[in-house]
Amino acid sequence: MKLPRLTVPAAVYSLLLAGLAVPVLAADAPAPAPAASTGTNIGSGIISDIKVEGNQRIEANTVLSYFGLKTGENFNQADIDAGLKSLYATGFFSDVKLTRQDNALIVHVAENPVISRVAFEGNDRIETKDLEKEVELKARSIYSQDKVQNDVKRILDIYRRSGRYAATVTPKIIKQDQNRVDLVYEISEGPVAYVEKIRFIGNDHFSGDTLRKTIRTEEYRWYRFLSDDDKFDPDRLQFDQDMLRRFYNNEGYADFQVKSATADLSPAKDAFYITFVIEEGPLYRFGDVKIDNTLEGKDKPDLSALVTTRKGDIYNAGEIEHSIDAMTKELGNHGYAFVDIEPKIERDRGKRVASLTYAVKPGPRVYVERINITGNVRTLDEVIRREFRLNEGDPYNTAKLQRSEERLNNLSFFKKVDVKTEPGSAPDKTVINANVEEKSTGEINVGAGYSTTDGPLANFGVAEHNLLGTGQELKTNFMLSAYQKDAEVSFTNPYFLDRELAAGVDVYRNYQDFTLESSYISDVKGVNLRMSYPLQEHLQHSMYYTIHRNTISNVPAPPFGSIYILEQEGTFLTSAIGQTLAYDRRDNKLSPTRGYFLSLTQEVAGLGGNDRYLKHEAKASYYIPVAPKWTLSFLGAGGYIFGFNGQAVRITNRFFLGGDDFRGFFDSGVGPHDTVFRDALGGDEYYEGTTELNFPLGLPDELGLSGAVFTDAGSLWGTSDTGPNVANSSALRLSTGVGLLWTSPFGPIRIYAADPILKQKSDQTQVLRFSFGTRF
């Protein structure tokens, strides 16, 4: 008896057809398998034979292995349904049908086509190579509607991450011969959905403008074209909630909560409206602040001086974290490697007081079992390992691990540094995993600008900061301006002799035209040998040897020039050795906002050559964050140089003061001068100090504008040149002024206006000072 041909439902296709959110297939795409009735009774009996028909690429044995039924088994509806589902699940077939001829079972299959190529059309904003990386279907893979839908979702996710929520993706197929197809994704990118408005509900103590400056997401403004923060990002929205909590907790609101954070997309899908619903809670002050130290040992350090939270002060979670970090580091320095400091806070909501106890107790004794380094393709393992303050076998220390990650970031070899720990092979062991993502360490600098000192200037430099992955640095730099020409080649090995000893050599030539200041031209050619090493974590000692030949020329002869400058004319060889001791606790070396820096330098010349002198110079700076983005800084410096063996100090070795070092005065405008020709002679002794407050101007951060008010004070005096025409006064000079600082897309621009309040008649003053520079 011949039964009618049976078809079985394609569950996968039915689900897809029911849930499509975007059009998936064009009219010429293969239709999904028609639903069939699996409830039809196919009868009973023994399967005498199973045949496969319609297969082109896939072997019959492969089809039967997925189908699962074998000859000699009974006809069973449940087993047949399971076999059909298994065949559909492979993704190889667009349709599967069964027929029975007597006791033989015929499996009819229609294979999914092979994809010849995958193409993208309409993607102007996102490159094709970036889309190709995301999609699963590639050329020579098997076409599947499931995979097409997944790829459509991936493409839409890419566009949403770039802010284009109105994007649509329509996949189409073009049939080819031999059961092959071309798959084309037609993309309509749509407009960028910017954040149109950010609202806060429940903020009674802080304005919306203040809170908007606290979070990362920003409202759309035309001038924010260099930033993506005005595009909606769900991950950034979560980060913004954390930023709000941190802000309120640091301002004394310990009970602060974000009730909800919603982002509503406009009907046109071109704008987002973000709303934060918050509950501020009451303002707390610190109550009693105690330290409960349960550590054992006679030499436990006194931690009270490290605690910055004081009774009566406004509650500040940031100060609690800062105090814990300081105590942890101090205990680590005293050998307490396993320490846990837990802040216990008891709130009295009626009195609005938060009592705080720092519970200092022994932590679990854990040792570093292994340090794994991954992600470094070019950089040698040893370059990364030597930056760790922990070694395998050492007691685990959180502060040292954080310092290790900070040192790796300071190398500037990596886009990303991720240092994490995981349990080791025993409860008292831990494994440190350091994953890095390398970035290009080669650099080509082309610069142009203008300054009051040098006039128009240009520079060109080539540098490799991680030479052959060894961490060594090789760089060259050339600078040309109206009054100066520099050329330099430098090489630095930061771990000379496999020790934490940085050694390097510089070969340079420096040509400077001092005609305006002192009526001479200086041409210096020389070599520096240098090395430095840390005495402690933040204390650095440097030594150097320099030998250079200096030619002083183009001095006008009397009566057209100064006799004191003419005496300096000629070629001289200087051979000097020096050292510097520097202690650096700044939070950032380039733009510090907190911390201090101290340095002391001595240099002695006389190991051969023509010059004999001893020079001392000290510098100090201190930075205080008085408010968010407000930094108060104090800078000071002083120096003294004297000649020995009866030799006077040559003009090129003397100190000069003015210009950027002392605003309100011309370059080399302070100190000893020839009063007839107004030539700066330089001095043997100086001191200077600066008090400066940098502050925001209330403009959007993207503009990069900030202001400054400052006071410069100091003096320069002492010279071997004597006579009625030499002005040499140690009197105090003082200037005060304002500045405008712009970190522009084209480079830093600085404009200072200063009024020299205290000055000498021989000093040369300059009210307005301007500098502009850029690098491409």
Side-chain angles (χ1 to χ4, degrees):
M1 179 183 70
K2 180 183 293 187
L3 294 177
R5 184 165 65 180
L6 301 175
T7 59
V8 180
V12 176
Y13 291 153
S14 299
L15 288 173
L16 283 172
L17 290 173
L20 286 182
V22 295
V24 180
L25 296 176
D28 57 349
S37 174
T38 56
T40 304
N41 185 5
I42 62 174
S44 59
I46 304 299
I47 300 175
S48 62
D49 191 16
I50 302 178
K51 298 180 181 180
V52 178
E53 296 181 354
N55 57 311
Q56 300 178 18
R57 301 182 310 275
I58 303 172
E59 297 289 338
N61 290 336
T62 302
V63 176
L64 294 178
S65 68
Y66 284 114
F67 186 51
L69 273 70
K70 299 178 181 178
T71 58
E73 296 180 352
N74 291 321
F75 281 98
N76 183 287
Q77 187 70 47
D79 291 342
I80 290 175
D81 288 347
L84 287 169
K85 290 179 181 179
S86 178
L87 288 174
Y88 275 118
T90 64
F92 296 155
F93 310 107
S94 60
D95 192 15
V96 179
K97 298 178 181 178
L98 298 179
T99 59
R100 177 175 176 177
Q101 295 179 348
D102 297 328
N103 286 333
L105 189 61
I106 312 300
V107 181
H108 303 269
V109 297
E111 295 179 351
N112 273 325
V114 175
I115 297 175
S116 297
R117 71 182 181 97
V118 178
F120 302 89
E121 295 180 356
N123 54 309
D124 297 326
R125 300 295 180 177
I126 297 180
E127 295 186 12
T128 297
K129 64 179 182 180
D130 295 327
L131 296 175
E132 290 175 341
K133 294 177 183 177
E134 292 292 330
V135 297
E136 182 181 358
L137 289 174
K138 314 285 185 183
R140 296 185 296 278
S141 61
I142 303 298
Y143 173 89
S144 165
Q145 288 188 4
D146 287 342
K147 293 180 179 179
V148 168
Q149 280 304 298
N150 290 334
D151 285 348
V152 168
K153 183 178 182 300
R154 289 189 181 98
I155 296 171
L156 289 174
D157 287 342
I158 294 174
Y159 275 97
R160 285 169 181 161
R161 288 198 296 269
S162 67
R164 297 180 181 274
Y165 284 78
T168 60
V169 180
T170 304
K172 293 186 176 182
I173 64 170
I174 302 173
K175 291 183 178 180
Q176 305 289 351
D177 56 359
Q178 299 178 352
N179 199 25
R180 295 178 299 115
V181 295
D182 292 339
L183 177 59
V184 179
Y185 293 100
E186 293 184 351
I187 300 172
S188 174
E189 295 181 320
V192 174
Y194 290 99
V195 176
E196 188 70 25
K197 186 68 177 177
I198 301 175
R199 295 191 307 154
F200 297 90
I201 298 176
N203 55 311
D204 298 325
H205 297 91
F206 296 96
S207 67
D209 289 340
T210 299
L211 298 182
R212 274 187 282 272
K213 293 177 181 178
T214 300
I215 63 177
R216 179 77 177 273
T217 303
E218 296 177 315
E219 294 178 347
Y220 170 76
R221 297 291 184 271
W222 66 267
Y223 49 78
R224 289 180 176 146
F225 57 91
L226 296 176
S227 171
D228 288 334
D229 291 343
D230 54 358
K231 298 176 183 176
F232 175 70
D233 185 337
D235 295 333
R236 192 187 299 132
L237 187 63
Q238 181 61 48
F239 178 73
D240 289 340
Q241 296 178 60
D242 294 336
M243 294 294 290
L244 285 171
R245 291 188 192 96
R246 180 178 292 272
F247 170 77
Y248 270 95
N249 290 163
N250 290 348
E251 294 294 332
Y253 297 87
D255 293 337
F256 172 82
Q257 291 182 352
V258 178
K259 291 296 187 179
S260 66
T262 59
D264 298 319
L265 184 61
S266 67
K269 296 184 178 181
D270 59 352
F272 274 96
Y273 300 87
I274 297 177
T275 303
F276 293 95
V277 179
I278 63 177
E279 183 178 313
E280 293 179 326
L283 176 69
Y284 283 86
R285 291 185 178 272
F286 283 117
D288 293 331
V289 179
K290 301 177 181 178
I291 299 177
D292 182 13
N293 191 344
T294 60
L295 296 177
E296 298 179 355
K298 297 181 180 179
D299 299 327
K300 292 188 297 184
D302 183 10
L303 303 176
S304 57
L306 302 174
V307 176
T308 58
T309 52
R310 300 284 186 267
K311 184 176 180 178
D313 289 350
I314 293 177
Y315 177 89
N316 190 318
E319 290 299 325
I320 296 176
E321 294 178 6
H322 182 265
S323 299
I324 291 175
D325 289 343
M327 288 189 287
T328 301
K329 292 178 181 178
E330 181 67 15
L331 290 168
N333 293 335
H334 283 76
Y336 293 89
F338 308 103
V339 177
D340 184 22
I341 302 178
E342 179 185 357
K344 296 182 178 180
I345 302 172
E346 296 182 3
R347 298 183 180 89
D348 187 333
R349 290 179 170 81
K351 297 180 179 180
R352 298 184 178 182
V353 171
S355 298
L356 173 63
T357 300
Y358 294 98
V360 184
K361 55 187 178 181
R365 301 185 67 85
V366 179
Y367 295 86
V368 178
E369 179 180 14
R370 190 171 64 255
I371 299 176
N372 298 324
I373 298 173
T374 57
N376 54 314
V377 178
R378 182 167 174 266
T379 306
L380 301 179
D381 267 17
E382 65 182 58
V383 174
I384 299 174
R385 289 186 183 276
R386 67 196 185 195
E387 299 301 324
F388 272 85
R389 303 293 89 181
L390 291 167
N391 294 316
E392 293 171 345
D394 286 352
Y396 175 76
N397 184 290
T398 302
K400 289 185 177 181
L401 187 65
Q402 291 175 346
R403 177 59 178 160
S404 301
E405 186 170 3
E406 180 182 325
R407 288 173 62 90
L408 286 174
N409 280 308
N410 288 341
L411 288 176
S412 296
F413 296 167
F414 311 109
K415 290 181 182 177
K416 180 181 178 183
V417 176
D418 186 18
V419 179
K420 294 183 178 179
T421 60
E422 64 180 30
S425 59
D428 63 343
K429 295 181 179 179
T430 187
V431 175
I432 298 175
N433 295 316
N435 181 261
V436 299
E437 182 181 349
E438 292 179 317
K439 67 179 182 181
S440 175
T441 54
E443 181 180 358
I444 297 178
N445 293 324
V446 179
Y450 177 86
S451 74
T452 310
T453 302
D454 299 313
L457 60 88
N459 74 288
F460 174 78
V462 179
E464 173 52 61
H465 303 291
N466 187 14
L467 187 64
L468 301 177
T470 62
Q472 299 173 358
E473 181 182 65
L474 178 64
K475 62 181 180 180
T476 62
N477 192 68
F478 304 91
M479 197 274 279
L480 175 65
S481 73
Y483 304 105
Q484 185 173 350
K485 300 179 182 66
D486 287 339
E488 182 180 25
V489 179
S490 299
F491 172 78
T492 302
N493 184 350
Y495 271 78
F496 185 59
L497 300 177
D498 291 328
R499 297 179 180 273
E500 200 167 352
L501 175 67
V505 57
D506 311 308
V507 180
Y508 62 92
R509 180 176 183 180
N510 175 251
Y511 175 93
Q512 283 187 281
D513 187 344
F514 293 107
T515 303
L516 294 178
E517 300 96 331
S518 302
S519 299
Y520 73 90
I521 293 175
S522 171
D523 189 1
V524 181
K525 304 171 186 175
V527 177
N528 285 339
L529 301 177
R530 50 187 163 78
M531 66 174 59
S532 63
Y533 55 92
L535 296 175
Q536 294 180 358
E537 185 64 33
H538 302 281
L539 182 62
Q540 192 86 5
H541 184 235
S542 305
M543 300 179 64
Y544 62 89
Y545 170 74
T546 180
I547 181 170
H548 58 262
R549 184 177 298 276
N550 189 353
T551 299
I552 297 176
S553 62
N554 205 42
V555 181
F560 305 103
S562 171
I563 185 63
Y564 307 107
I565 303 297
L566 186 64
E567 291 174 349
Q568 305 286 338
E569 192 171 29
T571 298
F572 309 94
L573 183 67
T574 300
S575 174
I577 187 170
Q579 66 93 28
T580 298
L581 198 63
Y583 189 67
D584 192 351
R585 294 306 302 266
R586 295 172 296 180
D587 59 347
N588 186 295
K589 293 183 179 181
L590 297 178
S591 301
T593 60
R594 182 192 299 272
Y596 57 92
F597 172 82
L598 304 169
S599 73
L600 177 64
T601 300
Q602 286 93 28
E603 181 177 294
V604 57
L607 304 176
N610 305 114
D611 290 323
R612 305 287 186 272
Y613 64 81
L614 179 61
K615 180 165 66 174
H616 307 272
E617 191 169 15
K619 296 181 179 180
S621 59
Y622 188 59
Y623 302 88
I624 304 172
V626 295
K629 300 180 183 179
W630 290 64
T631 302
L632 179 64
S633 59
F634 301 93
L635 296 87
Y640 174 55
I641 185 172
F642 63 91
F644 57 86
N645 285 351
Q647 186 178 99
V649 178
R650 204 176 307 282
I651 189 171
T652 52
N653 298 319
R654 297 172 187 167
F655 297 111
F656 289 85
L657 196 58
D660 291 333
D661 297 326
F662 205 143
R663 290 158 291 190
F665 294 89
F666 194 73
D667 293 291
S668 305
V670 176
H673 277 74
D674 183 323
T675 57
V676 175
F677 297 98
R678 309 285 289 176
D679 286 336
L681 303 177
D684 295 344
E685 301 175 64
Y686 87 97
Y687 68 88
E688 64 171 326
T690 294
T691 300
E692 183 168 324
L693 178 65
N694 291 89
F695 53 88
L697 297 176
L699 299 173
D701 292 341
E702 294 79 4
L703 296 181
L705 286 168
S706 61
V709 293
F710 61 86
T711 296
D712 291 345
S715 185
L716 173 69
W717 72 96
T719 175
S720 57
D721 299 323
T722 58
N725 298 333
V726 176
N728 182 16
S729 172
S730 61
L732 174 68
R733 278 79 157 180
L734 179 69
S735 69
T736 183
V738 297
L740 178 64
L741 300 84
W742 182 25
T743 306
S744 74
F746 313 102
I749 294 177
R750 304 288 184 265
I751 302 175
Y752 291 106
D755 180 20
I757 299 173
L758 298 179
K759 59 185 177 179
Q760 295 296 302
K761 289 183 179 180
S762 59
D763 295 337
Q764 299 182 35
T765 60
Q766 180 186 52
V767 175
L768 191 65
R769 188 165 189 85
F770 172 83
S771 67
F772 163 70
T774 184
R775 290 192 173 189
F776 302 89

